[in-house]
Amino acid sequence: MRAEPQSGRARWRSGKAIAGVSALALGAGALGVALPAYAAEGCEVDYTVANEWSSGFTANVEVTNLGDPVDSWELVWEFPGDQQVSNGWNADLSQSGQTVTASGSGWNGSIPTDGSAQFGFNGDGSGEIPGEFTLNGVVCDGGTDEPDPEPTDDPDPEPTDDPDPEPTDDPDPDPEPGERVDNPYEGADLYVNPVWSDNASGEPGGDAIADEPTALWLDRIGAIAGNDSPTTGDMGLRDHLDEAVAQAGDRPMNIQVVVYNLPGRDCAALSSHGELGQEEIGRYKTEYIDVIADIMDDEKYSDLRISTIIEPDSLPNLVTNVGSRDTATENCDTMLDNGNYVEGVGYALSELGEIPNVYNYVDAGHHGWLGWDTNLSPSVEVFHEAANTAGATVDDVHGFAVNTANYSALEEPHFDVDDTVNGQQVRQSDWVDWNQYVDEQSFAQALRDEAVSQGFDSDVGMLIDTSRNGWGGSERPTEPSSSDDLNTFIEDSRTDRRIHPGNWCNQSGAGLGERPEAAPASGIDAYSWIKPPGESDGNSEPIDNDEGKGFDRMCDPTYEGNVRNGNSPSGALPNAPVSGHWFSAQFQELLDNAHPSVQ
Ligand code: BGC
């Protein structure tokens, strides 16, 4: 008897092997699935429509193997209508017509007897539940909701070589209420933003990465309710948090949210100016931060881990782009004088830091901005000041995020900062220009040390944005240059192919970097795609818009530069839309030049 779906949730259960003829043989023959060399005798599928909106739905699927252990699996079903999988997680999903095939991979690739695998996906269309599932060709139907009595004559129902589908690396997946874990990425699944995912999968080749997690940017007040930002789409913050709850399986779910709406935003550039004027700190607090904090504090989101990335493009400007420096701008001088960056960041840290499951990461620029001692230590002082303003304390800071505003390589494999070429230090080269670091990872680790030495908690962790710093493709040097001329050596050895490390807008030749990964290196909480790949950094020509965004010549491919990029060409792609808007050509560029490459 088939159990009927109840309120969007359905469960099917197959019988055990039929005497003499296994259900496997019956199911496999019917479907013509290529079968592995073991027998799955039965299966149960729990298919839950966890969220449904006007044009789509989220389904969570748990498949339980009631037969012999399987070390690879395929679950197949037919959609009842024109539903389309748009992106999935914890399984590889493919669709042909109405037929969907989900197969396990990695830690989710095998299922012991009575064990289960869980995965989920977002689909377009209605959340109507499919009628039948097969696991490796076995039809998961015909049973009842009652668990079968355990056979009494089974000598050893437990496999001895349990492949252990549970990840073993989570030090504390289930902290006491109110207690934060050290690294909220470790042992967690990461939220896949359906809005970005749809954009990515709409691009040729985009399916290969459409189920990667990316951060949600709240880049204006209207984005909190939805309908007012390219990255949130018609989903507001609550919809995304509901969706994150729906995407959660057995492991904790981490959703990354960028808080990005300071008064006088992006004071050293023009393309990400925002809606709030330089003095509008009151609105920032009451119409933006308070509203976000109220939503995140909702009890129903308390099992999520919410990583907030606080205000890219802000505090370091108060060191590097002010006063008598030749990089100073009037806007940054104003934001230093009126104190509203420090006040705003402090307020965000304090309000969001009160929520026990929120993990605040303060944006900390990138090595090509802060990598000189004269910038690094003073910037950490400003971070510390903000972390002690408007009610915040250093305990409200869980870590720092780097490289969101930029494209710096994660690691330069062919030289270190301490190397010399023909007696000259690498630091003396035009490219490195006396910087103390040649790449993001060494910079991130050093910034962490500096933060701890200035009074931040000793367990702060770093995020490195690897969404656009892959620098693969045919231009990527595969070995160090043999030149004994320092500048030639660096030019021919560096993997970062930008014209100048100060270039930041829609960089030509850039690729996707490391895929998001938890705890990849000492002091690093995660490599993360904070800037969603394919969203523009700024328009390449003036474009009228109602977002406050300006035209920055650093996004104009014909521009010859300014003092902040050593008066070099901008290296930007042409025909770019306003920042945050979908930029198909950039997405293709990132895909083509990905490093590691996208299979
Ligand atoms: C834009 C934001 C956008 C973000 C993510 C920024 O450069 O100014 O509007 O949300 O990028 O794409």
Side-chain angles (χ1 to χ4, degrees):
M1 187 186 70
R2 174 170 302 167
E4 290 303 321
Q6 309 148 16
S7 60
R9 191 181 172 95
R11 174 170 287 226
W12 285 263
R13 192 181 173 98
S14 83
K16 295 265 183 183
I18 304 162
V21 184
S22 76
L24 169 68
L26 292 173
L31 280 157
V33 175
L35 293 175
Y38 38 69
E41 298 163 27
C43 45
E44 179 183 78
V45 171
D46 187 349
Y47 181 103
T48 307
V49 174
N51 195 16
E52 198 172 355
W53 57 96
S54 55
S55 60
F57 64 98
T58 300
N60 284 329
V61 184
E62 177 171 9
V63 50
T64 303
N65 172 26
L66 303 173
D68 292 344
V70 295
D71 49 14
S72 73
W73 57 268
E74 274 192 349
L75 188 75
V76 177
W77 70 88
E78 301 258 320
F79 275 137
D82 60 358
Q83 290 84 359
Q84 279 288 331
V85 172
S86 55
N87 63 288
W89 46 96
N90 298 337
D92 295 327
L93 287 128
S94 61
Q95 183 169 358
S96 166
Q98 288 171 262
T99 307
V100 182
T101 304
S103 43
S105 61
W107 59 269
N108 211 16
S110 54
I111 320 181
T113 301
D114 289 333
S116 53
Q118 285 142 2
F119 63 94
F121 67 92
N122 290 318
D124 298 329
S126 81
E128 196 182 340
I129 292 171
E132 185 172 272
F133 296 83
T134 61
L135 175 67
N136 291 348
V138 179
V139 179
C140 301
D141 69 356
T144 73
D145 272 336
E146 302 306 314
D148 287 353
E150 284 305 317
T152 51
D153 57 351
D154 187 339
D156 181 12
E158 291 302 322
T160 50
D161 58 347
D162 188 334
D164 190 5
E166 293 303 324
T168 52
D169 59 351
D170 190 340
D172 185 7
D174 201 11
E176 293 302 309
E179 186 190 309
R180 292 188 179 91
V181 293
D182 176 39
N183 179 354
Y185 288 77
E186 215 170 351
D189 289 324
L190 292 183
Y191 175 61
V192 176
N193 178 352
V195 178
W196 177 81
S197 189
D198 272 358
N199 286 333
S201 66
E203 294 288 336
D207 275 343
I209 57 158
D211 60 357
E212 293 292 348
T214 53
L216 170 74
W217 286 61
L218 298 176
D219 67 343
R220 68 200 72 172
I221 291 164
I224 304 173
N227 244 344
D228 206 8
S229 164
T231 127
T232 49
D234 60 0
M235 296 172 72
L237 176 58
R238 269 194 187 281
D239 299 319
H240 282 282
L241 293 171
D242 287 342
E243 171 69 6
V245 170
Q247 285 184 14
D250 277 354
R251 308 203 318 159
M253 173 59 65
N254 181 326
I255 174 169
Q256 309 172 91
V257 181
V258 181
V259 173
Y260 190 55
N261 202 29
L262 274 180
R265 193 173 72 189
D266 200 16
C267 65
L270 303 171
S271 69
S272 282
H273 280 186
E275 66 187 349
L276 296 181
Q278 295 171 328
E279 305 303 329
E280 291 193 277
I281 187 70
R283 288 188 68 200
Y284 180 76
K285 291 180 176 177
T286 57
E287 294 178 41
Y288 184 69
I289 295 296
D290 289 353
V291 183
I292 295 172
D294 269 359
I295 294 173
M296 289 183 174
D297 201 19
D298 191 322
E299 178 61 30
K300 69 179 169 166
Y301 306 129
S302 59
D303 284 341
L304 295 173
R305 297 176 181 178
I306 305 176
S307 298
T308 55
I309 292 89
I310 307 290
E311 297 293 353
D313 312 319
S314 63
L315 298 179
N317 282 310
L318 305 183
V319 173
T320 66
N321 293 321
V322 293
S324 57
R325 295 219 188 188
D326 58 3
T327 49
T329 69
E330 216 183 303
N331 286 338
C332 291
D333 276 334
T334 302
M335 298 321 296
L336 178 64
D337 289 347
N338 71 13
N340 284 343
Y341 275 9
V342 168
E343 178 77 15
V345 169
Y347 191 75
L349 289 172
S350 148
E351 294 302 300
L352 300 172
E354 272 179 28
I355 306 168
N357 55 320
V358 167
Y359 298 79
N360 287 322
Y361 291 87
V362 177
D363 185 83
H366 57 94
H367 94 277
W369 186 357
L370 302 186
W372 294 265
D373 286 347
T374 43
N375 292 346
L376 181 65
S377 177
S379 294
V380 174
E381 282 170 28
V382 177
F383 304 155
H384 196 260
E385 184 192 350
N388 286 287
T389 298
T393 74
V394 288
D395 292 337
D396 293 316
V397 177
H398 201 77
F400 298 89
V402 299
N403 213 28
T404 293
N406 219 263
Y407 289 70
S408 300
L410 182 66
E411 289 176 297
E412 280 296 354
H414 305 314
F415 55 89
D416 286 326
V417 73
D418 298 328
D419 289 349
T420 55
V421 174
N422 202 11
Q424 287 190 292
Q425 295 173 51
V426 154
R427 291 188 60 215
Q428 290 173 257
S429 64
D430 292 344
W431 171 257
V432 179
D433 190 21
W434 297 103
N435 200 313
Q436 251 87 14
Y437 310 94
V438 296
D439 52 31
E440 279 310 284
Q441 184 142 299
S442 57
F443 165 72
Q445 288 166 328
L447 188 137
R448 183 186 175 286
D449 291 346
E450 177 66 23
V452 172
S453 81
Q454 286 198 28
F456 283 98
D457 290 347
S458 59
D459 53 3
V460 286
M462 301 297 299
L463 302 181
I464 303 180
D465 191 335
T466 56
S467 57
R468 300 168 296 169
N469 69 345
W471 301 108
S474 56
E475 302 288 303
R476 184 183 174 86
T478 54
E479 55 182 20
S481 160
S482 56
S483 174
D484 60 7
D485 174 74
L486 175 64
N487 280 322
T488 310
F489 173 88
I490 295 294
E491 288 311 295
D492 294 352
S493 303
R494 62 182 170 92
T495 58
D496 182 335
R497 301 312 304 163
R498 282 177 299 171
I499 297 165
H500 188 276
N503 286 356
W504 51 266
C505 195
N506 301 325
Q507 289 299 286
S508 165
L512 301 163
E514 292 290 331
R515 307 304 103 87
E517 185 184 337
S522 168
I524 313 295
D525 279 0
Y527 298 150
S528 162
W529 287 5
I530 297 170
K531 172 77 187 184
E535 292 181 7
S536 172
D537 299 317
N539 39 310
S540 47
E541 290 173 19
I543 296 180
D544 278 343
N545 66 86
D546 59 4
E547 299 173 31
K549 307 245 169 92
F551 169 49
D552 196 300
R553 296 281 323 270
M554 289 296 287
C555 302
D556 171 357
T558 68
Y559 185 49
E560 292 299 321
N562 59 36
V563 68
R564 276 186 293 277
N565 81 333
N567 295 298
S568 317
S570 71
L573 294 171
N575 305 317
V578 165
S579 67
H581 291 227
W582 191 253
F583 185 14
S584 172
Q586 192 213 25
F587 184 88
Q588 289 302 329
E589 185 93 351
L590 293 171
L591 208 53
D592 290 349
N593 296 316
H595 185 87
S597 65
V598 171
Q599 300 305 328

